[in-house]
Amino acid sequence: MIFRLLYPLRCGSPRQPERPFALYNGDQIQSRIQSSILFPMKRRDFLWRSGQVLTGLGVGQAVLSQTLWPIPAAEAAPIGQNVPKLALLIGINQYPDASLKGCLTDLDLQQKLLIYRLGFAPENIVTLADNAATPDAIATAIREHLGQQATASTIVIIHFSGLGCIGKTGQPTLLTANKGEIPLTQLAQWLGALPTDKITTILDTSFQSSGEGVQGNVRLRSRPPLVTADLSDPHTASSSLPPLPAFPGLLLTATTDRPFGALPSGQSGLGQSVFGQSVLQSATELDFASWSAGRLTYGLTQSLWQAAPGTPFQTIWAMTQAAMQPQFPGLTGNKLKEQASATGPFSLTATGGIGVITTVNPETGIGEAWLGGVPATVLEQLMARSLLFVQAEAGVIGQVQILERVGLRAKVRFVESTTPDHLWAIAPGQALQEAIRVLSRQPELTIALDQHLTKVERVDAVSALSNVPYLTAINAGEGAADCLLAKVDEQATQVALLPNAPISELVVPVGYGLFTPTQAPIPHTQGDRGEAVKVAIKRLSPTLQTLLAKKILRSTENIMASKLGLRATLDMVSPKAQALTQQMTGAIPADTIVSLDSPTVPAGSHLQYHLQNLGSQILYWLLVGWDSRRNSYLILPTLNSAFGEIVPGLTQPLMSSPANPEWIVRNTTGMAEAFLIASTTPFARTQACVPTDPDNFLHTLDRPLEIVQAILQDLQAASPTAQSLSQPETIALDHQTWATLRFTYQVV
């Protein structure tokens, strides 16, 4: 008889009220494994089994591998069918000399995703958290939970969130509880001994560190090496990082700019790999108002919540990279070579959505919802009173209203049903979609003050920022922020090239500037040598107002939630005629997969937008954006103009004037960003803010924040059925009445 040393996680059926999922007690596990034998290694060439190392590159250009192990159609079965799937989730926030904030949230993100989107049975998910995640406990869980249950057809997912480093062996190493270490070579061997090669390993950690736990306004999931690299070794002489070992199946990891495992193709034992350059130089944590999460975990789980069954893995990975970058609006995905048959390890078993009902009281209709699929740019602005559709296999069966939200969890109340027995129609496991989005009427912009500013500089900065409306300041690393105020030098690009090093060590401070939370410089914000911090704040006020305007616009993005049938394309007219990118709302059945790239266009190019109305109502449009020099503009046809209306079935160019359907890209290199907004009613309030000229629809904006606030008022006016949900401090928008699509392109 075989006695299992670790009991699997039991958190209730998707159809039953969810019980808090169990986390193992470290002392209990240690006592259970005192006499256990570590993972028995067998002599077979499982160690370097044919597999694929797919490294999490952050955002940048990459060549995706041409082969992914396919999921047989029989394994893409609906929830409830007997599909063999096992998971081991490991997360560590608390270390003896350091602490993270998002690793246990990562376990929650993965656990909900596995159960409600990937069809894992709750009892087949084992979770090791904090002190329970020792090397012995992990080895035993792999052997007992995975090894003794898996067969050749079993799908296995193993996830680790925590710190990494170059360990005492000189190899990339996971740091575990009780000062433990697991070299990746050892982990690869343990997983290679499993009877299945359908294994996905997710490592939300990294292995290179500057010695500081905070970079800009984000925490790093890495620590300094425990040994000094041997520079006489030809490999370490050319790179400070050794390669990852070959893992069976698929490996996803947030890593440095030289991806682990990216070895020459054809080397013995390696499958095809990914090569590329990463903007994310190490694994970091995303901070929100009341919670934190690993950037890779959040991006991956959010993309899988939103994806439809059958979505190719390459598309999911591009969606992941876009979700990982809420502070980098221009970086929206990789250049992809789509393979419709390559679904990879993530066989989705339910319709997509923004979340799921986890518990419900059948007598009151009040329950809890998990909102893991809400985009980061929307989630923190999503307010109480928002309405969500409840979706079952037969379609929408009712609505719930958010009563309150804390992080990813929301308390919801049943408000409407399409079935007579409505109290019984709402059940755990049913997907949620947005119906009416309630947003703050005037959100704030949060600025983090770099840790290398002096106390006097911080005091002066806080004093100066207090005089700017809708702005608030925090110390770097203490919470969520939209941008970072720090000292810069005359060659600020050094910060982008070496983002793991503290700013103070890279450059000689000569002034102040703005950076993204991950320490990438925001162009055209650098001040002069000797500039006082109060003077810098005054100089940067217009830029801060612009950042707030963009934040508000991003909170209105609803490409998946909009019920308007829209298809928008950005085309290059000259010097070479070609389609650059296309976007379509979720209301349009997708018969093709559209690239998520930010296209590259030469300076001086002629561009043109086209908007196709595939719905049944007349639509009105505007385009508000920023060129590569960060100058803001608005394109808005005059009221009652034939150019401002798009009738059903019509495809129309978005013209800057009646005589000019295109415009010329400036000769300044950089990222350009534009928001295309369509509505079922005209933009009367916005039109009142700019001069009326029937021969010119293009307006340069000195105060873009005022225009964005007028746009919000117009969108609210287009949502009359949602007005009862609005309050003085909020605005309610009905997804049946508007669509916001965001376009970006890089000028070179």
Side-chain angles (χ1 to χ4, degrees):
M1 181 179 295
I2 298 175
F3 293 92
R4 300 188 58 198
L5 297 180
L6 294 180
Y7 297 105
L9 170 68
R10 297 183 183 276
C11 53
S13 164
R15 292 289 180 177
Q16 299 296 326
E18 183 184 50
R19 299 187 290 271
F21 68 89
L23 303 179
Y24 290 118
N25 178 279
D27 294 335
Q28 293 175 341
I29 288 184
Q30 287 296 329
S31 64
R32 290 169 183 258
I33 63 177
Q34 291 273 332
S35 59
S36 66
I37 302 174
L38 288 182
F39 206 173
M41 304 306 299
K42 301 178 181 179
R43 292 184 60 84
R44 55 184 176 132
D45 49 0
F46 68 83
L47 293 176
W48 311 115
R49 188 180 305 172
S50 177
Q52 178 183 21
V53 179
L54 179 56
T55 304
L57 297 179
V59 171
Q61 293 188 359
V63 178
L64 288 166
S65 73
Q66 299 301 302
T67 58
L68 288 170
W69 52 266
I71 299 295
E75 294 181 3
I79 292 177
Q81 293 193 18
N82 186 23
V83 178
K85 299 178 181 180
L86 301 170
L88 172 61
L89 309 179
I90 305 160
I92 306 169
N93 272 343
Q94 301 303 319
Y95 288 87
D97 57 347
S99 63
L100 299 170
K101 294 183 179 181
C103 297
L104 299 190
T105 303
D106 289 357
L107 302 190
D108 218 359
L109 286 164
Q110 287 285 13
Q111 184 241 12
K112 296 292 194 302
L113 178 80
L114 294 176
I115 294 172
Y116 295 114
R117 287 294 280 129
L118 299 181
F120 279 63
E123 61 269 20
N124 288 338
I125 304 172
V126 163
T127 299
L128 299 175
D130 281 339
N131 290 335
T134 64
D136 286 348
I138 293 170
T140 305
I142 293 174
R143 183 184 71 249
E144 300 290 338
H145 174 58
L146 303 180
Q148 293 185 5
Q149 295 191 91
T151 65
S153 62
T154 300
I155 294 174
V156 170
I157 291 181
I158 179 169
H159 177 102
F160 176 87
S161 286
L163 292 176
C165 72
I166 300 300
K168 297 174 183 177
T169 63
Q171 298 298 315
T173 297
L174 305 180
L175 298 180
T176 65
N178 296 343
K179 298 184 178 180
E181 300 176 35
I182 300 180
L184 291 192
T185 52
Q186 180 68 76
L187 181 62
Q189 290 177 352
W190 290 349
L191 297 179
L194 296 177
T196 177
D197 60 359
K198 295 179 173 58
I199 303 170
T200 299
T201 305
I202 303 167
L203 303 179
D204 201 343
T205 187
S206 51
F207 309 97
Q208 188 178 42
S209 172
S210 64
E212 295 193 2
V214 176
Q215 170 188 309
N217 192 53
V218 297
R219 283 175 303 281
L220 303 177
R221 290 186 173 180
S222 59
R223 284 297 175 265
L226 302 181
V227 295
T228 303
D230 181 7
L231 297 181
S232 63
D233 185 302
H235 178 78
T236 57
S238 61
S239 170
S240 60
L241 296 170
L244 287 183
F247 272 68
L250 187 66
L251 174 66
L252 307 178
T253 175
T255 185
T256 62
D257 59 348
R258 292 198 65 173
F260 294 124
L263 299 179
S265 59
Q267 182 166 334
S268 175
L270 287 181
Q272 301 225 348
S273 304
V274 170
F275 295 79
Q277 182 103 15
S278 173
V279 171
L280 291 175
Q281 300 297 313
S282 56
T284 59
E285 293 191 332
L286 285 169
D287 273 334
F288 299 92
S290 59
W291 60 286
S292 301
R295 190 179 295 268
L296 173 62
T297 304
Y298 176 78
L300 178 63
T301 56
Q302 185 191 108
S303 66
L304 287 168
W305 272 107
Q306 296 177 349
T311 302
F313 178 76
Q314 292 97 324
T315 301
I316 290 173
W317 189 240
M319 294 168 64
T320 297
Q321 293 178 317
M324 287 167 66
Q325 299 288 344
Q327 292 90 4
F328 291 93
L331 304 175
T332 56
N334 274 353
K335 293 187 175 180
L336 305 177
K337 293 184 178 179
E338 300 293 356
Q339 294 178 330
S341 62
T343 56
F346 303 113
S347 180
L348 299 170
T349 58
T351 57
I354 63 162
V356 66
I357 292 177
T358 55
T359 63
V360 63
N361 185 327
E363 296 180 356
T364 65
I366 295 178
E368 291 189 358
W370 176 258
L371 304 178
V374 179
T377 52
V378 174
L379 180 65
E380 290 304 288
Q381 308 302 320
L382 191 65
M383 308 290 287
R385 301 173 70 87
S386 296
L387 292 182
L388 308 175
F389 289 122
V390 181
Q391 187 166 332
E393 292 182 6
V396 174
I397 60 173
Q399 288 186 359
V400 293
Q401 183 178 50
I402 295 178
L403 301 179
E404 61 178 336
R405 181 188 60 81
V406 179
L408 292 159
R409 291 179 170 85
K411 182 180 291 186
V412 297
R413 175 183 62 188
F414 164 81
V415 293
E416 181 182 346
S417 176
T418 58
T419 60
D421 54 343
H422 60 270
L423 292 181
W424 299 102
I426 311 301
Q430 291 172 339
L432 298 173
Q433 298 279 4
E434 282 193 272
I436 294 178
R437 182 181 297 177
V438 178
L439 302 170
S440 171
R441 192 174 294 273
Q442 184 53 70
E444 291 188 335
L445 189 80
T446 302
I447 304 171
L449 305 180
D450 185 66
Q451 58 184 331
H452 299 293
L453 296 179
T454 66
K455 183 177 180 179
V456 172
E457 289 173 318
R458 292 171 186 269
V459 171
D460 287 347
V462 171
S463 175
L465 289 169
S466 65
N467 297 320
V468 183
Y470 314 124
L471 299 183
T472 185
I474 63 171
N475 290 323
E478 294 184 355
D482 300 293
C483 60
L484 176 75
L485 177 69
K487 296 177 180 178
V488 296
D489 82 324
E490 296 171 348
Q491 296 180 347
T493 54
Q494 294 182 45
V495 180
L497 295 174
L498 299 170
N500 278 341
I503 293 177
S504 60
E505 295 181 9
L506 284 173
V507 298
V508 178
V510 298
Y512 301 92
L514 295 176
F515 295 77
T516 68
T518 52
Q519 216 173 15
I522 296 177
H524 313 299
T525 63
Q526 177 184 343
D528 296 329
R529 183 185 299 272
E531 180 184 39
V533 66
K534 288 188 175 181
V535 175
I537 296 295
K538 183 177 181 180
R539 172 180 58 82
L540 293 170
S541 291
T543 301
L544 295 172
Q545 297 291 315
T546 293
L547 292 176
L548 179 55
K550 290 184 177 183
K551 179 178 180 177
I552 294 172
L553 286 172
R554 289 173 195 146
S555 72
T556 70
E557 284 186 71
N558 66 340
I559 186 170
M560 297 302 297
S562 176
K563 300 302 183 289
L564 300 184
L566 283 180
R567 178 183 286 117
T569 59
L570 175 60
D571 303 315
M572 183 188 300
V573 179
S574 67
K576 177 183 178 181
Q578 67 178 88
L580 296 177
T581 186
Q582 180 186 105
Q583 294 192 36
M584 65 184 73
T585 59
I588 302 175
D591 52 358
T592 58
I593 298 168
V594 179
S595 170
L596 301 175
D597 288 358
S598 291
T600 298
V601 300
S605 300
H606 289 229
L607 302 183
Q608 186 177 84
Y609 287 94
H610 285 90
L611 186 60
Q612 184 180 12
N613 183 356
L614 297 175
S616 59
Q617 303 180 73
I618 295 176
L619 298 179
Y620 304 85
W621 65 272
L622 63 76
L623 191 73
V624 58
W626 286 262
D627 62 21
S628 55
R629 285 187 57 85
R630 305 183 73 83
N631 296 319
S632 57
Y633 62 88
L634 171 71
I635 299 178
L636 176 61
T638 55
L639 294 177
N640 302 319
S641 168
F643 299 102
E645 297 182 1
I646 305 179
V647 300
L650 182 67
T651 299
Q652 180 171 307
L654 307 187
M655 307 175 71
S656 58
S657 72
N660 185 15
E662 58 192 62
W663 60 89
I664 301 175
V665 176
R666 287 180 175 269
N667 288 325
T668 302
T669 60
M671 185 65 68
E673 180 178 14
F675 295 85
L676 172 57
I677 305 177
S679 173
T680 55
T681 61
F683 293 92
R685 292 166 179 79
T686 308
Q687 186 73 71
C689 296
V690 295
T692 300
D693 185 351
D695 296 323
N696 182 29
F697 307 151
L698 176 62
H699 307 277
T700 301
L701 303 180
D702 296 326
R703 295 183 298 274
L705 183 57
E706 293 181 9
I707 295 297
V708 169
Q709 290 169 333
I711 292 172
L712 278 186
Q713 294 176 23
D714 283 323
L715 294 182
Q716 184 179 31
S719 307
T721 59
Q723 298 314 304
S724 62
L725 302 176
S726 295
Q727 295 180 318
E729 69 278 8
T730 63
I731 185 170
L733 306 179
D734 189 337
H735 288 284
Q736 298 186 75
T737 64
W738 106 96
T740 299
L741 311 180
R742 179 170 58 85
F743 287 84
T744 61
Y745 56 89
Q746 181 77 38
V747 180
V748 295

